[in-house]
Amino acid sequence: MNNNFDSDNIDSGAAGGLLIIDLDALQDNYRRLCAEAKPARTAAIVKADAYGIGAAQAAPALYKAGCRLFFVAQLIEALQLKPLLSPDATIAILNDIHPGMETTTADAGFIPVLNSLSSIEAWGDLCRKRREKLPAMLQIDTGMCRLGLDIKEIKQLVADPEIFNLADIYYILSHLACSDDSANNMNYTQLITLKKLLKKLPTAHVSFANSAAVYLGKDYRFDLVRPGIALYGIDPHGQTPSRLQPVVQLKARVIQTRSVPAGLKIGYGGTFLTKYPTQIATLAVGYADGWHRSLGNRGAAYFAGRRLPIIGRISMDSMMLDITTLGRKGPQRGDLVELIGPNQMLEDIARDADTIPYEILTSFGHRYERRYIQSE
């Protein structure tokens, strides 16, 4: 008996849904961002498995598009990404490195983003020990209060900037808190704060702009921009039509259809009551697949260009649609209906789920058939 299992040869009908990822669109978005940010260099944020679309596919595609600097959040992500990229690609770790992991980081050739005086000290000690100017980046907090040196720590760094002599400081980083709102005064306040702090520190290249800040203007771009969500097709300012190409489509398979009378409660908790004889299609996608439970009785799917509301609560492995309006032209068992696509963008799903597109993207489960589109 052969127990070997080849996941690459699974029949497409085995999955409850189809996740289509357009790597050509991903590459095009990267090139558009490069053109917008020029002359600043453009990196790529591929943390969280490239925002859920698959770093193993996305990162090499971005490399082919010209990207040479990739940011992840954690050391484990860097270790997973390294074998997928050419030796001339550089990987930086945004969330710093845990104590004791300095040697592993240096041996792998990764660049830590140092966020505290203690991590700066540890990296400096390793530079002394090896008698080598190991690469690093420094992050300073200009108002977000999440990561980076605070004002007190920056004063200490200004008083003792030895790390600039011990290590090869590629960039000084900071991060905007409200860049998706171009009218928010916090953006300008952080920019002025950053410029004042930079005057006190040794000269280094600077990176400030995330996806949204790329479009705030040249003052925010400095030497390097770090787009994330924009790469994956989401316009960070919600511009319509978007300046970017959609990267993701999602379809769910119908596993059953049925007719129910008026006055019947539907799904867990009976939260939906049919008001008329209703045709129902049950889909093989649920919250275990990243389709948020909050979309119950609020979200929708599309078939033949028609909106089909989700009725009742979303279950772990399934959800139900009201397909009554389609009559005999409704979807049947085995058919695929659109969850994300031409009729319904990620932004629409996020709005209905009362969340943000980032959370939808990074919630995609592993039970979908993933189909990657890329021209040679």
Side-chain angles (χ1 to χ4, degrees):
M1 181 177 179
N2 186 357
N3 291 318
N4 292 330
F5 179 71
D6 184 359
S7 60
D8 293 331
N9 291 320
I10 297 175
D11 189 280
S12 60
L18 172 62
L19 183 60
I20 302 171
I21 298 162
D22 189 341
L23 297 177
D24 290 336
L26 177 73
Q27 292 174 316
D28 184 73
N29 290 337
Y30 176 77
R31 294 186 185 105
R32 292 185 189 202
L33 288 158
C34 288
E36 183 71 29
K38 196 173 179 180
R41 184 183 181 189
T42 302
I45 306 292
V46 292
K47 62 182 181 177
D49 200 24
Y51 284 52
I53 74 166
Q57 292 77 23
L62 288 165
Y63 180 90
K64 289 179 182 178
C67 184
R68 293 297 180 268
L69 176 56
F70 298 83
F71 282 88
V72 295
Q74 300 177 3
L75 174 57
I76 191 170
E77 293 178 314
L79 291 167
Q80 292 166 344
L81 184 62
K82 183 178 173 65
L84 307 174
L85 294 171
S86 296
D88 63 329
T90 302
I91 301 171
I93 305 169
L94 285 165
N95 283 13
D96 214 323
I97 46 177
H98 300 310
M101 299 307 296
E102 292 84 11
T103 298
T104 300
T105 301
D107 288 347
F110 302 143
I111 301 179
V113 177
L114 305 174
N115 285 298
S116 67
L117 289 178
S118 61
S119 62
I120 288 174
E121 182 179 357
W123 196 251
D125 287 344
L126 185 61
C127 291
R128 287 192 197 92
K129 180 180 178 180
R130 295 194 173 190
R131 297 181 180 180
E132 181 181 356
K133 294 190 72 171
L134 298 169
M137 300 181 191
L138 300 179
Q139 183 158 201
I140 59 177
D141 178 27
T142 54
M144 190 172 181
C145 301
R146 183 181 65 175
L147 285 172
L149 278 67
D150 61 23
I151 295 300
K152 181 180 178 181
E153 291 176 309
I154 293 169
K155 288 180 179 178
Q156 291 179 255
L157 180 64
V158 170
D160 182 13
E162 186 182 15
I163 189 65
F164 287 87
N165 296 320
L166 293 173
D168 187 1
I169 304 300
Y170 277 28
Y171 293 96
I172 294 175
L173 275 63
S174 192
H175 196 70
L176 286 153
C178 304
S179 57
D180 57 341
D181 179 4
S182 58
N184 196 308
N185 289 333
M186 181 71 170
N187 296 320
Y188 185 70
T189 299
Q190 284 193 254
L191 176 62
I192 295 303
T193 300
L194 175 62
K195 287 183 175 181
K196 288 180 179 178
L197 294 172
L198 289 173
K199 289 180 180 179
K200 300 177 182 180
L201 292 167
T203 302
H205 290 111
V206 179
S207 178
F208 193 36
N210 56 5
S211 289
V214 169
Y215 297 104
L216 290 181
K218 63 181 181 180
D219 287 347
Y220 290 84
R221 296 172 192 151
F222 290 90
D223 303 295
L224 174 76
V225 299
R226 313 186 306 270
I229 194 67
L231 293 171
Y232 307 103
I234 303 299
D235 192 299
H237 292 289
Q239 181 170 306
T240 303
S242 176
R243 296 162 280 199
L244 303 159
Q245 289 199 55
V247 173
V248 169
Q249 292 187 53
L250 179 61
K251 300 179 181 181
R253 197 172 298 280
V254 176
I255 48 178
Q256 190 180 62
T257 61
R258 66 173 63 201
S259 301
V260 299
L264 201 66
K265 292 182 178 180
I266 303 298
Y268 280 123
T271 61
F272 183 88
L273 181 69
T274 57
K275 297 179 180 178
Y276 46 80
T278 303
Q279 288 290 117
I280 294 175
T282 301
L283 307 183
V285 166
Y287 60 75
D289 305 293
W291 206 246
H292 291 216
R293 195 168 180 265
S294 58
L295 289 165
N297 294 316
R298 295 175 63 182
Y302 279 80
F303 187 78
R306 297 281 290 275
R307 185 180 188 275
L308 305 173
I310 297 171
I311 56 175
R313 289 180 181 168
I314 292 175
S315 304
M316 182 183 291
D317 312 298
S318 62
M319 60 181 167
M320 291 170 282
L321 306 177
D322 181 349
I323 63 171
T324 308
T325 57
L326 289 176
R328 294 181 178 179
K329 295 181 180 181
Q332 302 298 313
R333 181 170 174 261
D335 285 343
L336 290 167
V337 301
E338 175 191 322
L339 295 181
I340 300 171
N343 296 289
Q344 182 166 249
M345 300 185 298
L346 265 166
E347 294 92 330
D348 300 320
I349 305 302
R351 181 199 62 235
D352 290 344
D354 193 24
T355 185
I356 55 176
Y358 299 73
E359 189 173 11
I360 301 296
L361 265 177
T362 57
S363 295
F364 289 147
H366 298 284
R367 297 192 293 188
Y368 298 118
E369 175 198 352
R370 294 190 173 218
R371 187 175 299 170
Y372 289 89
I373 299 171
Q374 186 170 33
S375 57
E376 295 298 330

